[in-house]
Amino acid sequence: MPDLLRPACVITAHINADYDALASMVAAGKLYPDAVLLAPPMMERRPHPFIDSLASTFAMRKPGECDLSAVRLLVLTDTRQRQRLEHIAPLFEGVRPEIHVYDHHPASDRDIQADYRVIKDWGATTSILTHLIMERGTQLTPDEATLLGLGIYEDTGSFTFTSTTEHDFTAGAFLRGRGMNLRIIAELTGEDMTRRQIQALGTMIAGAEVHTIRGIPVTVAEIALDGFLEDLASLVNKFMEIERLNVVFTLASMEGRIYLIARSRLPEVNVGRICSSFGGGGHASAASAVVKDRTPAELRAALLALLTSIITPQMTVGRHMTSPAVTIGDRMSIGQAEDLMNRYGLKAVPVLSADGNGGIGLIEQQTASRACAHKLGDQPVTEYMQRNIAALTLDSALYEAVDIILTQRQRLVPVLRNNAVVGVLTRTDVIRLLVDDSLRIPEGAPLAREHRESTIAQMLEERLPGEILALLRKAGNLGDKLGMSVFAVGGFVRDLLMGNPNLDTDLSVEGDGIRFAELLAAELGGKARPHRKFKTALVSCKDARGAERRLDVATARLEYYEYPGALPTVELSSIKMDLYRRDFTINALAVQLNAARFGTLIDPFGARRDMKERTLAVLHSLSFIEDPTRILRAVRFERRFNFRIGAQTERLIKNALSLGMPAKLSGARLFHELRNVFEEKDAPACIRRLDNWGLPASIHPLLRLTPQKDRLLAAVEEVLSWHRHLYKDYAPIVWQPYLLAFCSGADQSETAELLGRLAFTGKQAGEFLHMREQLRKLSSELAALRRTGDPEPGALYELLSPAPVEGLLYLMAKYGQHNSLGRDISFYLNALSGARADIDGRDILAMGEKPGPFIGETLRRVLAAKLNGYAASREDQLRLAWQYLSARRARDGIAPHLDEILRGRT
């Protein structure tokens, strides 16, 4: 692999880069001559020699070719929204570089805070940078002038869009004088269309619908395309010109995403504002967005709802809110909140501060009801309410409320006057306002996602081995035969999306999962082992290499907990409810495997959003109450994926700990999760995080993390890492050295008490306590041996070989590499632990010895001599064994002569 570049300054633009984005990058490069141009993913374009050579002509680099940690200055062109900069996401983590921005898009609340910015409401960002080049007298080559001109021509519609300014014309004239090639620009912005584009345009025109919203005709066209279609934006421009439209929205479904392209000639319809609600951006007259988490029907319904609210500015929140609002105080209990919501039939209510001024949160009826079912009704409502909710004022535009309810999934919006809640606007209020025949939004339209769906079929093809892909298809085909929907779920899907290797496949079936598993096992030539209480089964079969492969098959199910910390009770359910029972949003994912919907990703709780933001979020407020082991899992996932536990999730963790929930867990469940923590790559960091909340000590005082234990745990991790690197064919039992470290300094009775809390069986506890005693004696004997001088290898082997590797790794961590005892153990593990004599028991038997313990004793003494250099060859070892045997013989002549043994066994 070539060495990565380490640029101090980089220039880049938004993903799905158009010509203005690329041209403005090159223009910025003239102002920052030492910067590296990082090429963002481009929009698909028709092949053309000029475009095909952009990367080499202008020395553009891919982000993967650079070490972004070296960047101290980031220059952004044609965007300042982080969600459009996925290709440089690492630059926004940790210490942020200085940021300079050049852009012509209107401001939004998603804008990055820049240290220096030049923002002008001109037709193209390239025009802004061209004027700076003009001011500085910087020279341009004809190729540079042509690319800059291409950016201006595209973003101004060849100087015909209403957003075009006199500054764009001035920039164009300057570039023409510097050699701008109009022939190339005409070829790239011309009227020629491919056959696919002509077909797509015809479909667009035929399927377009006109909605008259407050007297303004708005055209919405939906089109589904097989594969990516290049120059979609120019096709929408052509559609607008042919049909003489003033406002058009095109929803193009391509490769699992919906590309929303919007154009407007009317000041009443700001398409940039509309597209920003769907994560995109642009100008009042031209904008776009790429939508991954909605179906076309849902996007269309939400689009029309937003249009209704934005086209009619006199539609304010105050005119349509429900007033007076039913609210509760922050000193009220969960039980009181549930009674109030049940009395008035409410799904949620705002929670107000004690003095009645200012909304501070929101509690949902479902959350309150579940809390009461767990006998938490006397807990303060503040423990389980949603915080940091959005609120509006009386004169806020209705659009803002619709945006909050549709895109932020907030059930209701408190309405304030002088910081006091005077009303609420609910999702039901919005639906009532927007149900209108002229809009064709039917009652019950999917304004908020029920199932977030997209397709990742291509990702499955690219990232999975052929054998696994074939297995998934076979499972889907079996589901079709049985009339069952089949899904791959959980960590398999999560790691697929994150690019982490994980072939452990879990399946979920809407139907009889055990019957499905038995039939699938028969097709695979394997076996199914059912677990009828939980409606699950384990399918085992052989892969192409003959190795065992296992699949967990579950019935899509709803779980509820009869009491905190209990194992769940299971009922049949749908895939959505099956996902809702899981721990975190990133694990609440499914991919359908049935043939007609193969590769359809189901993400009902925003997992992809949380992955993008690197946030770990729990699914519901009582998650840690119902299953406190999720606290340990939260820390594991946070560390493993380099995420951060969300503020609301951390607050819920602390609440569960304050209620003593871990104490209600069985020892077996606790120990299972602790073992998983110990298996993590950086287990000490996980333990420190848990100790910050006081969780380990709440399990048992020996698990409290003292500074001495912290250092010892770090040393254990270092030693385990060393061992893993050297001995890939042997995996030690990792929890043992960690638990030995926690028990360091404790007596056997204290240790036995901890083992009892962790539900060790009598045998398991006896073995662990025996190992501690064995290691104590071994340490003493090794120290005594060391006092006589450097021990011979044979003596080290004889002393250390009876001890388990896990115990020796603990001692090595305890003493350290700079201590002579630690070095002795390290030498043994590295050079002696796998040693064997060149003779075996058969040789001793051939000498006339009867089976018994003396054979093993003899072989150990021979091995010690070999390790000490006294018996290097097989012959030397046979002679030495003969000497040991001869010394104890009562009579001669029982065994053959030694020379016969050497001849027969050499």
Side-chain angles (χ1 to χ4, degrees), residues 530-757:
H531 194 318
R532 299 195 182 278
K533 178 181 177 181
F534 292 104
K535 298 179 173 60
T536 63
L538 177 66
V539 174
S540 58
C541 59
K542 300 293 184 182
D543 65 15
R545 298 179 301 278
E548 186 176 30
R549 182 182 303 286
R550 295 184 175 187
L551 295 90
D552 287 306
V553 178
T555 302
R557 62 195 194 269
L558 170 66
E559 294 179 347
Y560 64 90
Y561 294 76
E562 295 181 356
Y563 56 88
L567 288 171
T569 300
V570 176
E571 293 181 355
L572 296 180
S573 186
S574 66
I575 188 62
K576 180 188 175 184
M577 294 308 296
D578 181 78
L579 295 177
Y580 186 62
R581 70 182 175 82
R582 296 172 187 272
D583 46 15
F584 306 104
T585 59
I586 62 171
N587 294 328
L589 289 161
V591 174
Q592 190 156 2
L593 304 179
N594 301 79
R597 290 173 56 81
F598 186 81
T600 298
L601 176 69
I602 298 172
D603 176 16
F605 306 110
R608 297 195 83 171
R609 176 201 62 226
D610 288 342
M611 288 178 184
K612 180 179 177 181
E613 296 177 357
R614 308 192 74 78
T615 299
L616 193 70
V618 77
L619 284 177
H620 59 83
S621 298
L622 295 173
S623 184
F624 299 117
I625 298 293
E626 294 179 338
D627 186 358
T629 62
R630 288 170 174 166
I631 300 172
L632 288 87
R633 290 204 290 276
V635 170
R636 286 169 46 216
F637 291 142
E638 179 185 50
R639 192 69 189 175
R640 184 191 303 173
F641 301 128
N642 193 26
F643 278 23
R644 58 176 177 80
I645 294 175
Q648 170 79 348
T649 298
E650 184 164 1
R651 187 181 65 79
L652 293 172
I653 287 174
K654 292 177 178 177
N655 170 257
L657 291 171
S658 70
L659 295 173
M661 288 298 137
K664 300 182 180 183
L665 287 167
S666 69
R669 294 192 70 200
L670 273 173
F671 183 51
H672 174 77
E673 288 300 331
L674 279 175
R675 279 188 302 177
N676 288 336
V677 169
F678 295 150
E679 292 283 352
E680 289 296 320
K681 189 174 181 180
D682 191 357
C686 296
I687 295 166
R688 288 185 206 106
R689 181 78 150 120
L690 292 168
D691 188 71
N692 287 338
W693 297 326
L695 188 147
S698 74
I699 298 172
H700 191 276
L702 278 184
L703 298 181
R704 180 176 285 108
L705 190 63
T706 64
Q708 181 183 1
K709 287 183 180 179
D710 190 15
R711 290 191 294 271
L712 185 52
L713 290 170
V716 167
E717 171 58 31
E718 186 177 341
V719 167
L720 286 170
S721 178
W722 167 82
H723 190 269
R724 278 192 294 264
H725 180 71
L726 289 179
Y727 303 100
K728 300 185 185 300
D729 57 339
Y730 177 78
I733 303 171
V734 171
W735 66 263
Q736 290 186 354
Y738 279 118
L739 196 57
L740 286 167
F742 270 117
C743 297
S744 175
D747 59 32
Q748 291 289 69
S749 62
E750 291 176 302
T751 303
E753 186 181 280
L754 170 61
L755 301 181
R757 175 64 184 97

Side-chain angles (χ1 to χ4, degrees), residues 386 493 499 777:
Q386 299 173 28
V493 184
K777 292 180 179 178

Side-chain angles (χ1 to χ4, degrees), residues 384-403:
Y384 301 103
M385 72 181 185
Q386 299 173 28
R387 297 171 183 260
N388 301 319
I389 63 171
L392 297 172
T393 59
L394 289 167
D395 57 355
S396 296
L398 181 63
Y399 174 89
E400 296 179 63
V402 174
D403 190 28

Side-chain angles (χ1 to χ4, degrees), residues 220 327 609 840:
V220 178
T327 64
R609 176 201 62 226
D840 57 28

Side-chain angles (χ1 to χ4, degrees), residues 88-131:
I88 56 166
L91 285 177
F92 300 105
E93 299 168 4
V95 180
R96 197 194 72 167
E98 182 178 349
I99 299 177
H100 294 186
V101 169
Y102 299 85
D103 194 13
H104 72 140
H105 293 98
S108 79
D109 56 6
R110 297 183 176 91
D111 289 351
I112 292 169
Q113 294 300 310
D115 300 285
Y116 174 76
R117 58 182 187 165
V118 179
I119 313 297
K120 296 181 184 294
D121 188 19
W122 294 1
T125 299
T126 305
S127 298
I128 299 170
L129 287 153
T130 300
H131 275 261

Side-chain angles (χ1 to χ4, degrees), residues 211 213 220 299-309 439 441:
H211 303 271
I213 303 175
V220 178
L299 179 57
R300 177 177 168 274
L303 172 64
L304 292 172
L306 290 170
L307 279 166
T308 300
S309 59
L439 294 181
I441 303 179

